[in-house]
Coordinates of all heavy atoms in Angstrom, one line a residue:
F1 N 7.9 0.2 -3.8 CA 9.0 0.6 -3.0 C 9.0 2.1 -2.7 O 9.1 2.9 -3.6 CB 10.4 0.2 -3.7 CG 11.5 0.3 -2.7 CD1 11.7 -0.6 -1.7 CD2 12.4 1.3 -2.9 CE1 12.8 -0.5 -0.8 CE2 13.5 1.5 -2.0 CZ 13.7 0.5 -1.0
E2 N 8.8 2.4 -1.4 CA 8.8 3.8 -1.0 C 7.9 4.7 -1.7 O 8.3 5.9 -1.9 CB 10.3 4.3 -0.9 CG 11.1 3.5 0.1 CD 12.6 3.9 0.3 OE1 13.0 4.8 -0.4 OE2 13.3 3.2 1.1
D3 N 6.8 4.2 -2.2 CA 5.8 5.0 -3.0 C 4.4 4.3 -2.7 O 4.2 3.2 -3.0 CB 6.2 4.8 -4.5 CG 5.1 5.5 -5.4 OD1 4.1 5.9 -4.9 OD2 5.5 5.6 -6.6
N4 N 3.6 5.1 -2.0 CA 2.3 4.5 -1.7 C 1.1 5.0 -2.5 O 0.0 4.8 -2.1 CB 2.0 4.7 -0.2 CG 1.6 6.1 0.2 OD1 1.7 7.0 -0.6 ND2 1.2 6.3 1.4
G5 N 1.4 5.6 -3.7 CA 0.3 6.0 -4.6 C -0.7 4.9 -4.9 O -1.9 5.1 -4.9
L6 N -0.2 3.7 -5.2 CA -1.0 2.5 -5.5 C -1.8 2.1 -4.3 O -2.9 1.5 -4.5 CB -0.2 1.4 -6.0 CG 0.2 1.4 -7.5 CD1 1.0 0.1 -7.9 CD2 -1.0 1.6 -8.4
V7 N -1.3 2.3 -3.1 CA -2.0 1.9 -1.9 C -3.3 2.6 -1.8 O -4.4 2.0 -1.6 CB -1.1 2.1 -0.6 CG1 -1.9 1.7 0.6 CG2 0.2 1.3 -0.7
R8 N -3.3 4.0 -1.9 CA -4.5 4.8 -1.9 C -5.5 4.3 -3.0 O -6.7 4.1 -2.7 CB -4.2 6.2 -2.0 CG -5.5 7.1 -2.1 CD -5.2 8.6 -2.1 NE -4.7 9.0 -0.8 CZ -5.4 9.2 0.3 NH1 -6.7 9.0 0.2 NH2 -4.9 9.6 1.4
K9 N -5.0 4.2 -4.2 CA -5.8 3.7 -5.3 C -6.5 2.4 -5.0 O -7.7 2.3 -5.3 CB -5.0 3.6 -6.6 CG -5.8 3.3 -7.8 CD -4.9 3.2 -9.0 CE -5.7 2.8 -10.3 NZ -4.9 2.1 -11.2
T10 N -5.8 1.5 -4.5 CA -6.4 0.2 -4.1 C -7.4 0.3 -3.0 O -8.5 -0.3 -3.1 CB -5.2 -0.8 -3.8 OG1 -4.3 -0.9 -4.9 CG2 -5.8 -2.2 -3.5
L11 N -7.1 1.0 -2.0 CA -8.0 1.1 -0.8 C -9.2 1.9 -1.0 O -10.2 1.8 -0.4 CB -7.2 1.6 0.4 CG -6.1 0.7 1.0 CD1 -5.4 1.4 2.1 CD2 -6.7 -0.7 1.4
E12 N -9.2 2.7 -2.1 CA -10.4 3.5 -2.5 C -11.4 2.5 -3.1 O -12.6 2.9 -3.2 CB -10.0 4.5 -3.6 CG -9.3 5.7 -2.9 CD -8.8 6.7 -4.0 OE1 -8.7 6.4 -5.2 OE2 -8.5 7.8 -3.6
G13 N -11.0 1.3 -3.6 CA -11.9 0.4 -4.1 C -12.6 -0.5 -3.0 O -12.1 -0.4 -1.9
P14 N -13.6 -1.2 -3.4 CA -14.3 -2.0 -2.4 C -13.4 -3.2 -1.9 O -12.8 -3.9 -2.7 CB -15.5 -2.6 -3.1 CG -15.2 -2.4 -4.6 CD -14.3 -1.3 -4.7
G15 N -13.3 -3.3 -0.6 CA -12.5 -4.3 0.1 C -13.1 -5.7 0.1 O -12.4 -6.7 -0.1
K16 N -14.4 -5.7 0.2 CA -15.1 -7.0 0.2 C -14.5 -8.0 1.2 O -14.5 -9.2 0.9 CB -15.2 -7.6 -1.2 CG -15.8 -6.7 -2.2 CD -15.7 -7.4 -3.6 CE -16.2 -6.4 -4.7 NZ -15.8 -6.8 -6.0
G17 N -14.1 -7.5 2.3 CA -13.5 -8.4 3.4 C -12.2 -8.9 3.1 O -11.7 -9.8 3.8
R18 N -11.5 -8.4 2.1 CA -10.2 -8.9 1.7 C -9.1 -8.3 2.6 O -9.3 -7.3 3.3 CB -9.8 -8.5 0.2 CG -10.7 -9.3 -0.7 CD -10.4 -8.9 -2.2 NE -10.7 -7.5 -2.4 CZ -10.3 -6.7 -3.4 NH1 -9.6 -7.3 -4.3 NH2 -10.7 -5.5 -3.5
V19 N -7.9 -8.8 2.5 CA -6.7 -8.3 3.2 C -5.7 -7.9 2.1 O -5.4 -8.6 1.2 CB -6.0 -9.4 4.0 CG1 -4.7 -9.0 4.6 CG2 -7.0 -9.9 5.1
L20 N -5.2 -6.6 2.2 CA -4.3 -6.1 1.3 C -2.9 -6.4 1.8 O -2.5 -6.0 2.9 CB -4.4 -4.6 1.1 CG -3.5 -3.9 0.2 CD1 -3.6 -4.5 -1.2 CD2 -3.7 -2.4 0.1
V21 N -2.1 -7.1 1.0 CA -0.7 -7.5 1.4 C 0.2 -6.6 0.5 O 0.2 -6.7 -0.7 CB -0.4 -9.0 1.1 CG1 1.0 -9.3 1.4 CG2 -1.4 -9.8 2.0
I22 N 0.9 -5.7 1.2 CA 1.8 -4.8 0.5 C 3.3 -5.2 0.8 O 3.8 -5.2 1.8 CB 1.6 -3.3 1.1 CG1 0.2 -2.9 1.0 CG2 2.5 -2.3 0.4 CD1 -0.1 -1.7 1.8
D23 N 3.9 -5.5 -0.4 CA 5.3 -5.8 -0.3 C 6.1 -4.5 -0.6 O 6.2 -4.2 -1.7 CB 5.8 -6.9 -1.3 CG 7.2 -7.3 -1.1 OD1 7.9 -6.7 -0.3 OD2 7.7 -8.1 -1.9
G24 N 6.5 -3.9 0.5 CA 7.3 -2.6 0.4 C 8.7 -2.9 0.4 O 9.5 -1.9 0.7
G25 N 9.2 -4.0 0.1 CA 10.6 -4.4 0.0 C 11.3 -4.3 1.4 O 12.5 -4.3 1.5
G26 N 10.5 -4.3 2.5 CA 11.1 -4.3 3.8 C 11.7 -2.9 4.1 O 12.5 -2.8 5.1
S27 N 11.4 -1.9 3.4 CA 12.0 -0.5 3.6 C 11.6 0.0 5.0 O 10.5 0.0 5.4 CB 11.6 0.4 2.6 OG 12.1 1.7 2.9
L28 N 12.7 0.5 5.7 CA 12.4 1.1 7.0 C 12.7 2.6 6.9 O 13.0 3.3 7.9 CB 13.3 0.5 8.1 CG 13.1 -1.0 8.3 CD1 14.1 -1.6 9.3 CD2 11.7 -1.4 8.7
R29 N 12.6 3.2 5.7 CA 13.0 4.6 5.5 C 11.8 5.5 5.4 O 12.0 6.8 5.3 CB 13.9 4.7 4.2 CG 15.2 3.9 4.4 CD 16.2 4.2 3.3 NE 15.7 4.0 2.0 CZ 16.4 3.9 0.9 NH1 17.8 3.9 1.1 NH2 15.9 3.8 -0.3
C30 N 10.6 5.0 5.3 CA 9.4 5.8 5.2 C 8.2 4.9 5.5 O 8.3 3.7 5.5 CB 9.3 6.5 3.9 SG 9.2 5.5 2.4
A31 N 7.0 5.6 5.7 CA 5.8 4.8 6.0 C 4.9 4.7 4.7 O 4.6 5.7 4.0 CB 5.0 5.5 7.1
L32 N 4.4 3.5 4.5 CA 3.6 3.2 3.4 C 2.1 3.4 3.7 O 1.2 3.5 2.8 CB 3.8 1.8 2.9 CG 5.2 1.5 2.2 CD1 5.4 0.1 1.9 CD2 5.3 2.4 1.0
V33 N 1.7 3.3 5.0 CA 0.3 3.4 5.4 C 0.3 4.4 6.6 O 1.1 4.2 7.5 CB -0.3 2.1 5.8 CG1 -1.8 2.3 6.3 CG2 -0.3 1.1 4.5
G34 N -0.7 5.3 6.6 CA -0.9 6.2 7.7 C -2.4 6.1 8.1 O -3.2 5.3 7.6

């Protein structure tokens, strides 16, 4: 929730064609991905 530190950590790893599903709680107060 309103913290994308784990997003960077995850995307730094090999994706292997996967899809990252991020449940940000539906927050419209900041951006989780840039």
Side-chain angles (χ1 to χ4, degrees):
F1 190 72
E2 297 180 0
D3 176 349
N4 74 351
L6 280 183
V7 177
R8 174 172 295 279
K9 183 178 175 212
T10 302
L11 294 176
E12 284 173 345
K16 301 176 188 164
R18 291 176 297 165
V19 175
L20 181 59
V21 176
I22 304 168
D23 183 0
S27 172
L28 301 177
R29 300 190 307 198
C30 58
L32 293 172
V33 174

